[in-house]
Amino acid sequence: MTDKPRRNPKQARAQATVDAILAATFQLLEAEGATKLTTNRIAERAGVSIGTLYQYFEDRDDILAAMGERQAEAVRQKVTEIVLASPEQDSIRTIIQAIMSGIEGSPETRIVLMDALFKARGESVLSQHHIAFMSSISDRSELSFALGRESAFVLTHAVVCLLRASAAEPELELDPKALEDELVLLIESYLAGLAARSARMAG
């Protein structure tokens, strides 16, 4: 590892180098897993020198975190496009679909990237999903009650944490479509429960 400041990939050639490093890392994760992943192997697969790699990334974990951040950003962009393009549709389902499809790779790869992202950015990762969920349901006419901080926490964290658990337990062989249906049911049922509680308290 080097103490030199990392370069900001503003130019097209530099961005292409970063893209090659991230692509090589993904390929190695998919083929061999995280245990054999080293910066030397990444540099070799990407076709760059180890010195060039360290100009952009501090270490292996920094590369993994960058991959996780890139995929998280893709999820946020997809969620935004869905909500803006089709606000009248089932926003809960489309948000869940976007989150489920946002992290690429095998279950093992997804866990590695998610762990790296959580390690690098902490709770801000879940906060982004929180904002997406709140935006998607804010204009729903059936929500005649205000979501408290704790209720909003349950709504956003339940989905993300359950999806992480499903990736961490591939031996359960969960069907993605069936899991999607269950997550939609979970969130919609919880929203209905909140509405019913609010009505009882108002009465």
Side-chain angles (χ1 to χ4, degrees):
M1 193 171 70
T2 179
D3 293 327
K4 294 181 180 180
R6 286 174 291 160
R7 294 165 59 186
N8 189 8
K10 293 181 179 179
Q11 298 180 350
R13 181 179 298 178
Q15 186 60 60
T17 300
V18 170
D19 291 343
I21 292 171
L22 298 183
T25 304
F26 183 82
Q27 294 166 8
L28 290 170
L29 279 174
E30 288 288 274
E32 303 176 358
T35 56
K36 295 182 179 180
L37 187 68
T38 66
T39 52
N40 282 319
R41 289 181 62 79
I42 294 171
E44 181 181 0
R45 175 63 68 94
V48 302
S49 70
I50 190 65
T52 296
L53 182 148
Y54 282 132
Q55 288 179 341
Y56 298 100
F57 299 101
E58 293 181 355
D59 51 26
R60 189 192 79 154
D61 289 343
D62 195 25
I63 299 172
L64 294 175
M67 293 175 64
E69 288 184 16
R70 178 172 287 193
Q71 294 200 10
E73 177 61 27
V75 170
R76 289 195 296 275
Q77 291 180 357
K78 186 174 182 180
V79 166
T80 300
E81 291 171 1
I82 289 170
V83 173
L84 292 178
S86 305
E88 75 284 355
Q89 295 183 1
D90 185 352
S91 55
I92 294 298
R93 182 176 294 278
T94 53
I95 291 292
I96 289 174
Q97 289 173 340
I99 296 173
M100 291 182 72
S101 63
I103 305 298
E104 300 176 355
S106 66
E108 295 77 12
T109 294
R110 293 199 299 270
I111 285 294
V112 169
L113 297 183
M114 292 173 73
D115 283 348
L117 185 56
F118 272 80
K119 182 178 179 181
R121 295 179 50 191
E123 290 302 311
S124 65
V125 177
L126 290 179
S127 295
Q128 294 295 337
H129 291 297
H130 172 93
I131 293 170
F133 261 89
M134 294 303 101
S135 296
S136 73
I137 67 177
S138 61
D139 295 328
R140 291 176 61 145
S141 59
E142 66 269 29
L143 290 182
S144 57
F145 57 92
L147 285 173
R149 181 180 302 175
E150 292 75 18
S151 299
F153 174 88
V154 171
L155 278 172
T156 56
H157 287 59
V159 172
V160 175
C161 292
L162 284 171
L163 288 175
R164 187 187 185 286
S166 70
E169 303 176 52
E171 68 275 7
L172 297 180
E173 299 182 347
L174 299 177
D175 178 75
K177 179 58 179 175
L179 180 59
E180 174 190 318
D181 290 340
E182 295 304 314
L183 290 172
V184 172
L185 177 62
L186 172 68
I187 297 304
E188 293 189 337
S189 298
Y190 184 63
L191 287 172
L194 290 176
R197 185 177 66 184
S198 178
R200 288 196 303 269
M201 294 176 64

